[in-house]
Amino acid sequence: MSSDLLNKAYDPEDVEMRWYRRWESDGLFAASDSSTRKSYSIVIPPPNVTGVLHMGHALNITLQDIMCRYRKLKGDNVLWMPGTDHAGIATQNVVEKKLAAEGLSRHQIGREKFVEAVWEWRKVYGGRIINQLKRLGAMCDWDRERFTMDEGLSRAVRRVFVDLYEQGLIYRGLYIINWCPRCYTALADLEVEHEEHDGHLYHIRYPFPDGNGGLTVATTRPETMLGDTAVAIHPEDERYRDIGHDHVILPLMGRTIPIIRDSYVDTSFGTGALKVTPAHDPNDFEIGTRHGLDSIKVIGDDGLMTPEAGRFAGMDRSECRADVVRALTEEGLLGKIDPHKHNVGHCYRCKEVIEPNLSRQWFVRAKPLAEKAIAAVENGETRIVPGTWAKTYYDWMYNIRDWCISRQIWWGHQIPAWTCAECQHEVVAMEPPGACPSCQSRNMIQETDVLDTWFSSALWPFSTMGWPDKTTLLNTFYPTSVLVTGFDILFFWVARMMMMGIHFMGDVPFRDVYVHALVRDEDGKKMSKSKGNVIDPLTVIDHYGTDAFRYTLAAFAAQGRDIKMSEKRVEGYRHFVNKLWNAARFSLMHLDQGHERIDRGHITLADRWILSRLARVTRSVSDAIDTYRFNDAAGELYQFVWHEFCDWYVEASKPTLYGKDTSPEGMAVTKAVLWNVLRDILLLMHPFMPFVTEEIWHQLPGVEGSIMTASFPEHDDGRRGIQVDPDAESEMALVSGIVTGIRNIRGEMHLPPSLQLNVSVHSREDRLRRVVDAYRGMIVNLARLTALTVAAPGPRPKQSATAIVDGASIYVSLEGIIDFEKEQQRLEKEIAKLAAELGTVSTKLSNPNFLEKAPADVVEKVREKHRSLDEKQQQLAVNLERIKELQTD
RNA sequence: GGGCGGGUAGCUCAGUUGGGAGAGCGACGGCCUUACAAGCCGUAGGUCACAGGUUCAAGCCCUGUUCCGCCUACCA
């Protein structure tokens, strides 16, 4: 039999490797550039080329793969566009580190050689993360893999830069930006991580020119005072109305600086006098602009004090702070020092403290772009799921500020701007200008800065498809169907793609944005290398297999909640994979051919029931994936496969399959049902567990080719005989209720399974008796009985334990072995439980308001509940009395 | 400062128009029943953070309190 090919326990390692290679080589991941089929497209959030697969990727990739595989089974033309981004700062850092190990710096080898070295590095290591994605089973169309530094994508970057410049949406100017002295580059506001630090608020007296009195200012960064060019007070501050001076002396520097009045000053903070350092604080810069103040840069780009800092020149900025404080103390100008919590910005790449610095940089004018991006979400052209994230998106978009896009590094898209060395004329163009359009000089010098990596990522949905050319690929797949991403890059990436997509394509880049959770460690902390709490997805895959890992991620991917991950959790789903594997082994033992059609002529109750449940589950899994409720889909399948198919259907079918109580026709029907249910289970599970389902698929007789090329089941398939069957469901509920009732007694009375029981079922209801009688074989089998008697209520069997189910009394005969004490306790416990339930129901029914105001169907439901509870309780009470009597006999 | 999410069984979490509190794991008891001991059968366990309110009815809606987490922000 074919099941000989299946081992007793599933072994993922060999299976995964084998099938992934096969899928790739058979071209099953390939999308068609154009097709009459419905298009479905996703662009991957490109991982950093320096990246190593982490849990965030694993979740992100798994969810996308689930959708792509699902849509493919549904018959769509699926494009999952893969690739990586060049991660300017991160990659430059990595390669610089490598050079440093050889005793070299990038400045020693020069820009050209350095960029070559990065490409070299990329050639060797750039494929690492891609191979790791493949281990997750990702069905990306690898032949289309893109890299943000590819020539095609670079051309898109230049096109966008030039167009935005010409439209006045890119400009260059001198502003306060965030400067990382370690990475030696400007950063965008988003790239600064704020962290609360315990600092100090230093009070410093700036004397009046006559040497007396003065104004006391409060600051957290005393070293910046060296660059102060004014002290500001609020125009209406009573305290300073009659100071009689309009200047103060800047201590340590001896410079005379003006006292200015500006309503920006908060009178309730500190002393109400604000030192103004236009070159090192964004607010001060604005005040400086308003009042025409000088900007004096005292902290250099290297983090050392500049010559403008006088005797502090050349000092490190933190040393300088200490020294300034010391000097002020000596001069008696330092007042109190209060402890003060304040936020300090850190570089998101290297964690160095950011220095707000005056610098000439390139900016994108964001507001006009943001307006359209806001409108697109407001009018539903793009839907953000879950909807709560839309609010976050709006908040950021409405308060958007210009985006600093220039970086002083070497690895990235060099800004396509040239300045004439002769006449300073500036040219922004796609290609290097041969000569200056103004003075014809051939000495044109290109801007050395490169663009923010996110600038190129923002174009990803269309640059990867060949833009600015008008390609068939764009025509077929833009806008993409959905973007799947974590909320941590909602602003960095999603918002910017929206702005660029709408601006350059005239349409949104994606119809849906599905924002998923973050994966945390088992204590809910963010995983980080420094904390040492990182779980490596590849290790998890090695230990438990990709399918189990993917299922775990899907099962925990509830909308709006983070996932706490631990290997222990994956273990449970490995068991599930194995369960499916063994259910398949069992099924395949009995299947030697395909059974497309089910002849409902000789069908059993179990057959009808499992087909009905299959019909419902198929629909509900489909709905869940369509609405991004992956945990619901995974949960429902788990319940169905394990606790319905395995626990009930397979067990109930065994006598039939082993030929014990059926006709050849009956066996054929059950085999057909088994075949169809297993087949559909494989298809329903395939998006979640691609490998094990493919492996089993190939053992299933009567199917051909890869499961990836099959069709997702219809939920109501009349052709195959699969349909919802409410009668089967209610009859099955009765039968399984009786079986459970008997098992319950067996369990509590500690009766071993080997002991076969004799049971009577009594009921007043004809229908109920008929059903029980009709399916007595199933009850006898599942509850392990020797005999089952069905009768109208009559004399109660003596020496028996009792259970009440759905209007039927079940008597388990315990002739000679009954433990009266135990049975009495059991009944009393049961009665007490019922009494409690009955209490709440009775209270409701005795409330006239409830009867009057609640909808009739609700009232009827509660009445019915009361009737059944009451009857059950009475029956049990009678039985309890009888047990007591028997005991005293 | 502003915003968002969360507090449900020992642990991790579901709970979708308000109408009988659930799952997985763990615990406990019983089983090598011919697919699976990575298994099977059964049992126990919850003042749904706290306090009010709306309602015939609240885990769910409203208000307040509290604790935890995250995002965001130019009060030095």
Side-chain angles (χ1 to χ4, degrees), chain A residues 25 36 52 129 164 186 255 257 380 436 452 533 556 692 840 878:
Chain A
S25 64
T36 52
V52 177
I129 183 101
L164 289 177
R255 195 156 65 225
I257 56 174
C436 175
D452 182 0
N533 60 349
F556 283 108
V692 70
T840 60
V878 172

Side-chain angles (χ1 to χ4, degrees), chain A residues 678-692:
Chain A
L678 177 63
R679 176 188 171 282
D680 285 10
I681 283 174
L682 292 175
L683 288 163
L684 293 172
M685 297 277 287
H686 179 256
F688 299 87
M689 296 186 173
F691 293 109
V692 70

Side-chain angles (χ1 to χ4, degrees), chain A residues 356-370:
Chain A
N357 238 345
L358 191 61
S359 184
R360 193 168 164 80
Q361 302 285 344
W362 295 85
F363 297 86
V364 168
R365 211 179 292 285
K367 258 219 151 49
L369 297 169

Side-chain angles (χ1 to χ4, degrees), chain A residues 124 165 262 294 376 433 445 448 493 528 532 594 604 678 845:
Chain A
V124 179
Y165 180 82
D262 194 295
D294 288 341
I445 298 161
T448 54
W493 193 47
S528 75
T604 67
L678 177 63
L845 289 175

